[in-house]
Each structure stands twice: as structure tokens, then as C-alpha cells.
Amino acid sequence: MLLGLAAGLVGVLALMRKRSLMADTLSHASLPGIALAFILATTLGVNAKSLPLLMTGAAITGVLGVLAVQWLKTRTRLKEDACLGAILSTFFGFGIVLLSIVQTMRAGNAAGLPRFIYGQTAAMLPADAILMSAIAGLSIVAVLLLSKEFAVVAFDDEFSLVQGWPVSRLDLAMMALIVLVTVSGLQAVGLILVVAMLIIPPVAARFWTDRLWLLFVLAACFGTLSGYLGSSISALFPGKPAGSVIVLTSGVLFLVSMIAAPRRGVVAGLVRRIRLRLRFEVDHVCEAAYERSLESDRPVLTHATLQDLTKTRGLDPFTRAAVATALRTRHYVRSTPAGLEPTPAALARGARVYRNHRLWEQYLITHADIAPSHVDWSVDQVEHVLSADLIRQLEDALGQDGIDLRTPTPTIGAAP
Amino acid sequence: MSDSIFQFITLDLFPLLAATLASLVCALLGNYLVLRRQSMMGDAISHAVLPGLVVAFLITQQRLPIPMFLGAAVAGLVTVILIELVRKLGRVEPGAAMGVVFSVLFAFGVLLLSSDRMRSVDLDADCVLHGVLEGLTLNLPHDTPHTWGGIFSLSNLAHIPRPVVTLLVVLLISSTCVAILFKEFRLAAFDPALATAQGFRAGALHMLLMALVAAATVASFEAVGSILVIAMLICPPAAARLLTDRLNTQIWASLVLALTSAVSGYASAIYIPSAMGRDSVSVAGSIAVASGLILALAALFAPTHGVLARTLRQKRLTREIALDDLLAMLYRAKEIEAEPLSVASLGFAAEPRTLAIARQADLIALANDRVTLTPSGLDRARNLVRTHRLWETYLVDEAGLAPDHVHDIAEKLEHTNLTPPDAEHDPHGRRIPSE
């Protein structure tokens, strides 16, 4: 749980610096360290299964891996992804070679080592748990102390360099924190899945907020929550690996966030798009009604014409029905014996849209040098989004009475 | 046929062949991943294939090759699609999107593996990671005669380990695709937008590439494990990219490098430990390390893009510029008809090394601690000062800079090969020497 908290916090840093996959490379690169520490300890006759020792080994090769990535990235023309992948696989391959050596070693009751790959929460000793809690606590304190510095560097590293922040040292501190959390998570969730603890909670939290401090809080909450729920669920079903249950729990949290988050979520985005579309279509119907009212005194929209209007715009039946409903619920049409009659509100709205349309059209012709035949196309989209301020500016620019707003759309050759 | 050759063919040939084929097919496709900056996609796919394998097994209840292959391939494609979805719908940074998707899928796979029905099977996550290359021996009937004809008789074809055959098929398919669509793939890799504009459908090509990568991953899986797949997708193409600028050459080079790392990795895993009297180590891991070492060598020693070559180039340039500066200083001093300068008064322009190089090239002469230009030195110095002053004139006349701001820029431009337009006097009123 504490690990989830710490991983959530530190993961935010990695996410902000776009270094999510760095943790992946780091955790894979820690395998040779674990194996080397084990081999060394066995040959020296020390207790080879002591966690601090293995974790030190993991941290050392992990950092070496990260340094190697940096070296490749800055000194050759290889891009970051290739460097990450190359180092990850090479180090992990070396780790596997060492593991196969360990397995053939005489003293090698090496049964404990593979657990670092997949993790085994249940196998933790109280002392190990205390050590991990200490590390997690340390990283939490560090993040809290340095959060402002990290924020500055994360958003604009060049600016903060110019401003005199010790960017490279802060980056180093950040890397160190990621190393700490990764290494302390190794035993609990395994080296492949510890990445998930660093990546998923922050990404999930990112859907809910744009504010950094809230992001920290939420990521920590998600991390803790998935740690807590995951380990409780896996306790209910003995034999299930806790690490994967924890990761799956955080995966569910991520999915929920992605779908349901109020502003950046998928549903919210969909609703926004549909509402915008509906607004445009209502605009168009109102505009058409207004144009008809210019021709005849009492404009009546029969059901058939409403359908015609929406059909010419290529709407599917579903959207057409939605537009019709929207028109009715907003009292833009009322039923009369002759058919549907647009209300004054609809005509006013239509007039507004129509006027915007003409204004923008004129503007494009006189000021933007667009061929008249192309004007209508772009106007159709922009007429909905002109702000009041912009309309005033357009009126000023074009001269209030210089244009008859009732002039029909200009055709080729009719340009002023 | 001697026994040692027989032993080699039955024990080592097919694991070696599997490793080589896997390396070749991965390296071939990896070229495009490296170019498209999607190397980590290989990592993601190879992890996420695990649930596909397990689900295929749970459905069929058997380790049938074809359902397993299909399950894994579907999982690979699902991974690619999910990553795209998360990236686009959630507007998540690509690295993070990859991390989310593959770690969740992998966790799902590990969880499925631990279910009771899977207990009895020898499909464990370890073999997913580093494969069972060592198990791909040729199991011939005991009465097979120890002759070439005996081993490669038609009846023994059935004993060829299946992963080797699968790999061969996938390699054939991939290389055919790459050969036919070479131009299209190249354009899509370097400029997807242009490719789409030209009607290539870069998106579809990308999906095809991903499908091939997924197929290669799955085919290599059983034999060599996911780690070697990632290493082979990235290391040989990355190393080849450091060696050449042409895609054609890069692909061939990556294939050669992949072959080299497969053979050398295999040899060092099997023969070195046995020479030291120990058991052999993990072959897949050793090949991955070999490919990493090859990449490291390429990064250090590649002719133009290697670190060493770059450093040397930089050193040489620094030396040239120091020499240029010394000569120009001497020329300017001579121009205002000062006494020949002493070494001390040259200050930092007269580093002992620079002086030594200049003397060796017969550009300057040293007499009684006085430094003078030789005729050839004078020529070179005059040209330098001329270029410098021409640049100053150009910068003031054409670029509109103030006369007191142009010196530093001209100081840099004078070392390039560019030729400024001709002029008589520089902005400070000094005559520009003729060539």
C-alpha cells in the first residue's frame, strides 16, 4: 500500500518528464544486479538472500542501465526508444545468463530469485516490509519537499535552466527516487509489473485534473487504492499472484478514469462533441427558417420540410430525430394545424446565424482574398463560433451600413 | 561422418537454426520500428502476447501449435490497437500508453497462468521470457545411421522441431512483404504524412508491419523467448543505423549483425562454459548480450556516427581552428607593421601544440623567440583574413548588422567552406587582401 502511494507520487514525476518507459528499462536492468549480488554473496559465504544486499545490487545495475541509455542517447544519433529497448533487452539478457549460472551453482538454493521477476507479496518477511516502508516513506518526503522544483523542471526544463534551477541535479534526484521505488517494489510485484505501479496511477489521475498538486494527491490515492484492493482481493483467493491482481486493479481504475473522467474522459468528450454537433444543426434549421421567413410572411416548417432540411445536410436518421427533439424541447418550433411553425426565438436565432454568416463571408471576400466560390464552405463552419466581440470587430471593419445583410451569397464574378 | 559432427547436427544445429532465424526475422522488421521510433512497441507486444497464449490454451485445452499461434497473434494486434486507442481517445503520451496497456495485459496473463487449470501444464512464464531453445534438439530414432544421408532422409523430416519450421515460414513471409513493399515501407517510415498524401495508406502499412512484428514475436517466442525478441528487434537495426545512412544497406547490415550475434551468442553460451568445465548458460540471454555488445561496439567505433569518430572529428576541427586563429593573429600583426611577435605576446593563441603543428606544416618560423609567417603560412593567413573581412562586409551591407557586432559571427564563418561575395574594404575601413 505504501508502495502504491510512493509509486503513484514518483510516477507523476516520470510522467511529467515523459519518462514513463525509463522505469521499464530500469526495472529490467536491475535483474543482473540481483543475480550478481546473489553470486557474490554466495561465493563470499554471506547470506545470499538478504534483501538489502539484493536490492543494492539491483539499484546499481539499474542506475548503470539508465546511465547507458543516457550515454547512447546523447552521444549517438539513436533515438530514445531504441536506446531504451536496446539497454533493456541487453541487461535483461545478461541477467538471465547470470540466473542460469545461479541455477547451476552448487550452493544455489536459488529458488528465491525468480520471484523478483514476477513478485510475491506473500513471501515478504516483516523486516523486508519495514525496509520497503522506509524507502517508500523517504520518497514521499522527498517528493513533498521538492514538489515545486520538480514542477518547474517538468513543465519547462530549458526555462528553469535559464532561471538558475539545478536541472540536472533535480533530474538526478528524480531518477534516484524512481530507482528507489522500483527496487523496493521488485519483490512485491516483480520487475515487470513494478513499471505498472509507476505508470498507471499517474496516467489515470491525469484524466481527472490539470493541477499538479491534485495530480500528486490523486495518483497517490490511486496507487494506494490499487495496492490495498489488489492485495485484499488476492488474499481472498489464495494462490493468485498479488502483483498481477494489484496491477489489474489499477488497470480497472485507469479504464474507469479514461471513460468517466469529467473533462478529459472519453464519455465527456463524446457528450461534448454530440452537443456541439446538435447546436450546429439547430443553428442550421433556424437559419433556414429565417431565410424562408424572408420570402414568405408566415414561415411554416412542415414535418416533411424539417426532414428535407436535415436530409440535405446528410444527417443520419438518429441525428435527425435528435435535432427534431432539440428543436421542440427548446421551444424553437410549435405545432400548428398547418405543420410546425418556428417560434420568434427560432427566427431570432436564425437571423443571428444568418447575419454572422454574411458578415464572415464579406470579411473573407474583402480582407482575406478568397475566391467567392470558396467562401460559403468555410463560412458554414465558422458562423457558429463567432464570438460577440469578433462580430463587433467585423461590423467595424466592414462598416455597419456598407453591407446589405440580406444580399444573397455572392457568386463568381460578383465580388466587390 | 564423425561422431562430433553427428552430435552437432542432432544437438546444436536446430537450436542454432532457430536462434538464427528468429534473429533474422526480428532484425528485418526491427529496422522499421527503429526508424519509426517505435522500438518499444516490440517490447509491449512481446509482453502482451502472454494472455493470448494462455487464452488459446484454455480454449483448446491442448498445446496445439496453430491455436496458440493465432491466440498470440490476436493478442499482439489487440495490444497495438489498444495502445492506439488509449493514445488517441485518452490523449495519453505514447510511452505511458504503451506502459499501461502492456503491463495490464501481462498481469492478466500471469493471473490466468496461476489458475488451477493451468497448474498441470508446462507453460510457465519463465519459458515466455527466455524460451526453451535448448530443448529444440533433433530427436532421431535410435537406429539412424551416422551418415549425412541417414540424418537428412525424408523420413526424418518430421522430426525437425516445429518452431524452426514456423520461424522459416514467418521469415519467408516477412521478407517477401518487405521486398515487395520496400518503397512503400520506406516512405511510410520516414514520412507517414507524405506517404498518405501519395495514396499509400500509411496507417494500413503500419498495421501490416505491426502484424508482421506480432507474427515474428509469436514465432520466435517458443524458441527464444520475449527478451531475445526485443533485443533482436532493436539492437542489430540500431547498430546498423550507426553504420550507414542508406536504408538498403542498413537492412542488410542488420541481418549480418543479427546472424553474427546469434552464432557468437550461441557459441559463447554453449562452448565457453563447457570449456571452463561448467554447465552451459541461457542461450537466449547470451545472444541478447551479444547483440548488445555489437551495438556498443558500433556506437563506439562506427566510421561516421560512432562516438570515437565524432570525437576525433571534433578534435581535428578544434585543432584546425586554433591553427587558423594563430595564423590570422600573426597576419594582422604583420599588417600593422609591428615587430614580429614573441611567443609570450601571442597569449593563449600560442599553445605549444598549435605552435608545433604550425611549424611542422611549415606555416610559421621560430627565431629568437620571435614568430614569423613562412610564405605558405602567409598565403593561408591572408586568405583567412580576407574571408573574415568579406563576411564582415556582407553582414553589415546585406544583413544590416551594426559594424561592431559582426566580428564574432565572422570569426565563426571564416572557418566554413562558404564563400562570401567579393568587396574592397571591410566595415572598419581596412583593405581586404586579394586572394
Side-chain angles (χ1 to χ4, degrees):
Chain A
M1 253 174 74
L2 209 55
L3 175 71
L5 179 70
L9 282 178
V10 174
V12 172
L13 300 176
L15 178 71
M16 298 319 292
R17 289 291 270 160
K18 295 198 167 49
R19 294 225 173 116
S20 302
L21 288 176
M22 191 62 111
D24 193 25
T25 301
L26 202 159
S27 63
H28 279 88
S30 65
L31 185 66
I34 295 171
L36 269 182
F38 186 88
I39 293 174
L40 254 174
T42 320
T43 37
L44 293 178
V46 194
N47 173 20
K49 282 193 167 176
S50 92
L51 190 59
L53 191 78
L54 296 182
M55 273 165 61
T56 314
I60 290 174
T61 48
V63 169
L64 272 182
V66 171
L67 290 180
V69 170
Q70 294 290 2
W71 182 80
L72 264 186
K73 199 177 74 181
T74 49
R75 302 301 296 274
T76 71
R77 64 168 175 173
L78 294 178
K79 299 290 175 289
E80 181 160 23
D81 61 310
C83 304
L84 283 173
I87 298 297
L88 176 155
S89 51
T90 310
F91 272 63
F92 197 71
F94 186 49
I96 286 183
V97 168
L98 289 176
L99 267 191
S100 64
I101 292 178
V102 166
Q103 266 151 12
T104 61
M105 270 167 56
R106 222 166 296 282
N109 47 359
L113 285 191
R115 74 161 186 249
F116 281 100
I117 301 184
Y118 304 105
Q120 213 167 5
T121 317
M124 265 166 46
L125 300 171
D128 300 345
I130 291 172
L131 181 68
M132 278 171 47
S133 317
I135 290 176
L138 183 69
S139 39
I140 293 167
V141 172
V143 170
L144 293 183
L145 282 180
L146 294 173
S147 59
K148 190 179 73 179
E149 284 78 0
F150 283 137
V152 174
V153 174
F155 281 112
D156 194 340
D157 52 352
E158 276 167 30
F159 171 76
S160 37
L161 193 64
V162 173
Q163 289 276 304
W165 294 94
V167 173
S168 53
R169 251 183 296 162
L170 280 172
D171 257 352
L172 212 64
M174 195 182 76
M175 262 354 269
L177 283 175
I178 296 179
V179 170
L180 273 183
V181 172
T182 312
V183 167
S184 65
L186 279 182
Q187 199 194 15
V189 290
L191 62 81
I192 295 172
L193 293 180
V194 72
V195 186
M197 301 294 291
L198 279 167
I199 298 180
I200 300 178
V203 178
R206 187 73 185 84
F207 283 112
W208 297 90
T209 177
D210 286 333
R211 305 200 61 84
L212 189 67
W213 68 268
L214 210 57
L215 190 63
F216 275 119
V217 173
L218 279 175
C221 287
F222 284 161
T224 319
L225 196 64
S226 45
Y228 176 70
L229 284 179
S231 41
S232 332
I233 294 173
S234 73
L236 289 178
F237 302 96
K240 297 287 173 204
S244 8
V245 180
I246 293 176
V247 173
L248 280 179
T249 317
S250 64
V252 171
L253 279 177
F254 167 79
L255 201 65
V256 172
S257 306
M258 180 169 142
I259 291 172
R263 279 193 43 236
R264 299 169 62 103
V266 173
V267 170
L270 210 62
V271 168
R272 234 188 351 256
R273 271 229 292 283
I274 290 176
R275 277 172 57 181
L276 195 66
R277 178 86 194 278
L278 215 56
R279 209 187 96 199
F280 283 9
E281 294 310 333
V282 169
D283 272 358
H284 281 129
V285 174
C286 292
E287 190 184 1
Y290 174 73
E291 277 181 50
R292 278 156 173 261
S293 79
L294 297 178
E295 289 155 17
S296 64
D297 281 345
R298 278 191 69 76
V300 174
L301 285 173
T302 61
H303 202 65
T305 50
L306 189 65
Q307 271 199 350
D308 283 349
L309 278 175
T310 46
K311 212 178 245 167
T312 46
R313 294 195 53 78
L315 300 182
D316 54 284
F318 182 74
T319 321
R320 239 182 297 164
V323 172
T325 322
L327 285 172
R328 252 182 232 113
T329 51
R330 289 178 205 177
H331 304 293
Y332 283 134
V333 288
R334 60 169 169 259
S335 301
T336 59
L340 293 171
E341 188 186 358
T343 60
L347 291 182
R349 181 166 176 168
R352 210 165 55 234
V353 176
Y354 182 77
R355 188 179 147 79
N356 286 355
H357 192 125
R358 289 285 169 277
L359 270 174
W360 192 248
E361 213 168 62
Q362 284 301 324
Y363 174 74
L364 288 183
I365 292 169
T366 43
H367 292 278
D369 236 7
I370 290 185
S373 59
H374 289 175
V375 170
D376 202 50
W377 185 74
S378 47
V379 175
D380 240 20
Q381 283 140 30
V382 85
E383 66 189 8
H384 311 283
V385 290
L386 294 182
S387 67
D389 207 34
L390 190 58
I391 291 173
R392 218 168 306 125
Q393 278 180 28
L394 285 176
E395 284 169 347
D396 288 347
L398 298 169
Q400 189 83 31
D401 33 21
I403 308 146
D404 176 9
L405 289 177
R406 289 186 170 202
T407 28
T409 313
T411 50
I412 299 178
Chain B
M1 180 194 292
S2 69
D3 273 356
S4 62
I5 293 181
F6 180 76
Q7 225 181 10
F8 172 77
I9 289 176
T10 48
L11 286 181
D12 288 338
L13 180 62
F14 284 95
L16 183 58
L17 214 53
T20 312
L21 288 174
S23 304
L24 288 180
V25 64
C26 289
L28 177 68
L29 299 171
N31 279 297
Y32 294 100
L33 286 184
V34 168
L35 283 180
R36 296 194 67 150
R37 304 187 187 182
Q38 284 187 316
S39 314
M40 294 307 273
M41 204 58 129
D43 179 39
I45 291 180
S46 57
H47 280 97
V49 158
L50 181 64
L53 286 175
V54 183
V55 168
F57 177 82
L58 283 178
I59 292 174
T60 59
Q61 289 294 314
Q62 273 169 313
R63 278 188 66 168
L64 295 175
I66 291 174
M68 298 286 265
F69 189 87
L70 282 181
V74 168
L77 280 183
V78 165
T79 314
V80 177
I81 294 167
L82 277 182
I83 290 174
E84 282 294 296
L85 275 183
V86 169
R87 203 170 63 80
K88 290 226 171 93
L89 287 182
R91 275 171 291 167
V92 175
E93 182 232 328
M98 253 179 233
V100 170
V101 171
F102 88 74
S103 55
V104 169
L105 284 175
F106 190 77
F108 183 57
V110 172
L111 190 68
L112 283 181
L113 265 184
S114 73
S115 70
D116 292 332
R117 278 200 288 175
M118 299 298 296
R119 262 310 134 61
S120 49
V121 202
D122 68 346
L123 178 79
D124 61 15
D126 276 349
C127 105
V128 168
L129 278 180
H130 42 86
V132 283
L133 202 51
E134 294 84 346
L136 293 180
T137 48
L138 189 61
N139 288 319
L140 294 176
H142 284 299
D143 55 351
T144 311
H146 288 203
T147 59
W148 291 103
I151 295 174
F152 293 104
S153 67
L154 279 178
S155 62
N156 280 341
L157 274 183
H159 293 286
I160 291 178
R162 193 188 41 74
V164 176
V165 181
T166 322
L167 276 168
L168 195 62
V169 172
V170 174
L171 177 62
L172 283 180
I173 295 175
S174 316
S175 46
T176 317
C177 280
V178 169
I180 293 176
L181 296 172
F182 181 76
K183 231 170 39 191
E184 285 80 356
F185 269 140
R186 179 173 58 189
L187 192 56
F190 283 109
D191 195 340
L194 179 65
T196 311
Q198 297 208 342
F200 283 162
R201 297 186 54 100
L205 278 175
H206 181 56
M207 282 318 272
L208 174 65
L209 180 66
M210 285 300 151
L212 288 176
V213 170
T217 310
V218 179
S220 316
F221 227 62
E222 201 171 347
V224 297
S226 63
I227 277 312
L228 186 52
V229 170
I230 304 168
M232 279 304 148
L233 278 172
I234 302 171
C235 290
R241 179 143 169 72
L242 293 174
L243 294 176
T244 172
D245 286 333
R246 302 197 57 84
L247 182 59
N248 220 332
T249 327
Q250 182 189 320
I251 291 179
W252 285 112
S254 73
L255 292 180
V256 172
L257 292 179
L259 190 73
T260 317
S261 37
V263 174
S264 62
Y266 191 86
S268 51
I270 302 289
Y271 297 119
I272 294 179
S274 75
M276 285 163 60
R278 311 190 67 138
D279 291 336
S280 55
V281 298
S282 157
V283 173
S286 156
I287 296 177
V289 173
S291 73
L293 287 180
I294 285 179
L295 174 61
L297 288 181
L300 280 174
F301 302 114
T304 39
H305 300 293
V307 172
L308 211 64
R310 279 186 173 190
T311 317
L312 281 181
R313 252 198 328 266
Q314 212 127 35
K315 278 257 163 66
R316 202 176 314 134
L317 190 64
T318 318
R319 216 182 302 143
E320 284 291 302
I321 289 178
L323 191 60
D324 280 355
D325 287 347
L326 171 70
L327 295 180
M329 194 169 178
L330 291 171
Y331 182 86
R332 291 198 176 95
K334 193 173 144 69
E335 202 179 33
I336 54 172
E337 281 160 20
E339 286 284 290
L341 290 171
S342 69
V343 173
S345 63
L346 279 169
F348 64 86
E351 265 186 283
R353 245 173 69 96
T354 319
L355 282 179
I357 294 168
R359 277 182 70 186
Q360 211 164 27
D362 195 30
L363 294 170
I364 59 166
L366 256 173
N368 305 328
D369 194 43
R370 299 279 149 178
V371 189
T372 47
L373 288 163
T374 63
S376 64
L378 192 66
D379 264 359
R380 181 164 162 179
R382 189 191 301 116
N383 264 331
L384 259 169
V385 172
R386 172 182 155 78
T387 322
H388 180 95
R389 290 184 183 160
L390 283 177
W391 274 123
E392 288 190 338
T393 316
Y394 173 81
L395 287 169
V396 169
D397 292 352
E398 306 292 328
L401 293 179
D404 51 349
H405 276 66
V406 292
H407 175 79
D408 288 341
I409 307 174
E411 193 72 8
K412 285 179 186 133
L413 287 169
E414 71 184 14
H415 301 293
T416 63
N417 291 328
L418 308 170
T419 356
D422 208 357
E424 289 270 308
H425 292 275
D426 78 356
H428 314 292
R430 282 185 294 248
R431 206 178 61 75
I432 297 177
S434 57
E435 273 186 79

